[in-house]
Amino acid sequence: MITSTLLFAVMNVMVKLCGDIPSPEIVMFRSVITLIITFFLLRKNKIYPLGKSHRWIMIGRGASGAIALMIFFYCIKHLPLATAVTVAYLSPIFTIIFSSLLLNEHINWRQWMFFAISFAGIICINGLHIDKDTSLVLLGLVGAAFSGLAYNALRKTSGFVPALVVVLYLPLVTIPLVTPMCIQQWVTPHGWQWLLLIGIGLVTQFAQLNMTKAYQMERAGSIANWAYLGVVFALIFGYFIFDERFNMLGIIGMVIVVSGIILNFFYVNRVTSAKRFKAYFRAFPGM
C-alpha cells in the first residue's frame, strides 16, 4: 500500500512537470495507455470487454471519473502540489454524502462533524480571501465531488462486473470526451515531455496493481489509512522539486483535512466491526 501511494505521488509530480501540456491532453495520453494495457489483460484473461450488465452505470462512472481526472490534473498544474492532493482527499467525504442521497445509506451525526472538520482545514489552507487560489481550490472540490459520484457507481457494480471491465470503461468514455478539447488546444510534446506522458500512464497502472494486491492480502481496515501518506509525499516532493513553501497555518490546515477523513474512516470501520460481531453471535446464539 505504501508503494502504491508513493507511485501515485510520483504520477502527480510527472503531471506538474509536463509544463505547457494542457490537462485534457495529459488525460488523453493516460487514458490511451490504460486502454491498451487493460484491453491486453482482458484478452489474456478471456473476459468480455464490455461486460454483460450495468453498462449505463459504468458509462456514468467513466464520465464522472473523466471530469474528476481533468480537474485534478488541472489543479496539480496550477496549485501547490500538496494543496491539490489534500483537496483531492476530500473525495471520500463526497462518496459518503452521495451514498446517503443515492444509495439510502445512513450517515451518523458524527460523520457530518468529521466533514465539517475537513472543510475547516480547507479554509485554513487558503484563508477566506477571494483570489485565484481560492477559485482553484473550489474547482478542486468540484473534482472531488465527481470522484465521489464515480466511487458510488463502482459500489453499484460490485459483485456484478469484473474489475478489469470497470477499469476499461474509464478510458472508453474519457477518450471521446477529451478528444475535442485536445484538438482545440493541442500542444505537441517535445523531448522529455513524451517520456513524462508515457510514464504517467505506466506509473498509474503499477500503482493500481500494487493497491489491488494490498487489498487482496490484508483487511481494508489495516491498510487503507496508509493512503493518506500521499499528502506527506506531496509536501516532500513540493518542497524539494518545486520549491513550494507553506506557512504554519497552511500545514495545520492539511493536517486538519486529513484528520477529518481519518476520523471518519475509523468510525465507519468501528461500526462495521460491531455489526459483524453482533451478526456472528446472532448466528451462534449458544456461544
Side-chain angles (χ1 to χ4, degrees), residues 46-58:
K46 298 180 180 179
I47 300 174
Y48 181 59
L50 298 180
K52 299 179 180 179
S53 65
H54 295 74
R55 290 178 182 172
W56 282 109
I57 293 177
M58 289 188 289

Side-chain angles (χ1 to χ4, degrees), residues 94-160:
F94 287 105
T95 300
I96 296 176
I97 292 175
F98 287 132
S99 70
S100 174
L101 298 174
L102 303 177
L103 304 178
N104 296 319
E105 295 184 358
H106 175 68
I107 300 180
N108 188 275
W109 65 268
R110 295 178 182 85
Q111 292 176 275
W112 291 112
M113 182 178 66
F114 301 149
F115 303 158
I117 290 173
S118 292
F119 278 107
I122 292 297
I123 295 175
C124 286
I125 292 172
N126 279 272
L128 295 174
H129 305 289
I130 305 301
D131 55 19
K132 179 182 178 182
D133 283 351
T134 301
S135 300
L136 287 173
V137 169
L138 292 175
L139 180 64
L141 290 176
V142 173
F146 274 104
S147 292
L149 283 174
Y151 293 144
N152 274 275
L154 289 180
R155 290 169 63 84
K156 294 287 287 186
T157 61
S158 178
F160 298 97

Side-chain angles (χ1 to χ4, degrees), residues 3-4 7-8 10-11 14-15 26 28-38 41 73 194-210:
T3 302
S4 172
L7 288 174
F8 276 123
V10 171
M11 181 207 73
M14 289 181 173
V15 170
I26 298 174
M28 169 67 81
F29 275 94
R30 180 186 184 275
S31 300
V32 169
I33 294 173
T34 299
L35 180 68
I36 294 171
I37 296 175
T38 307
L41 292 174
F73 282 3
W194 285 107
L195 296 177
L196 285 173
L197 291 169
I198 295 172
I200 287 169
L202 294 176
V203 167
T204 301
Q205 196 74 15
F206 282 114
Q208 292 174 337
L209 178 62
N210 276 277

Side-chain angles (χ1 to χ4, degrees), residues 163-242:
L164 280 172
V165 174
V166 178
V167 170
L168 183 69
Y169 268 82
L170 180 58
L172 282 179
V173 176
T174 301
I175 291 173
L177 282 177
V178 300
T179 296
M181 288 181 278
C182 288
I183 295 174
Q184 188 177 29
Q185 48 183 305
W186 179 264
V187 174
T188 302
H190 60 272
W192 52 269
Q193 288 180 328
W194 285 107
L195 296 177
L196 285 173
L197 291 169
I198 295 172
I200 287 169
L202 294 176
V203 167
T204 301
Q205 196 74 15
F206 282 114
Q208 292 174 337
L209 178 62
N210 276 277
M211 183 177 63
T212 302
K213 287 183 177 180
Y215 277 100
Q216 290 174 340
M217 295 168 62
E218 185 56 86
R219 295 181 299 110
S222 301
I223 61 174
N225 57 320
W226 290 102
Y228 298 114
L229 280 175
V231 174
V232 178
F233 291 139
L235 274 170
I236 295 172
F237 288 147
Y239 182 85
F240 287 103
I241 298 177
F242 303 109

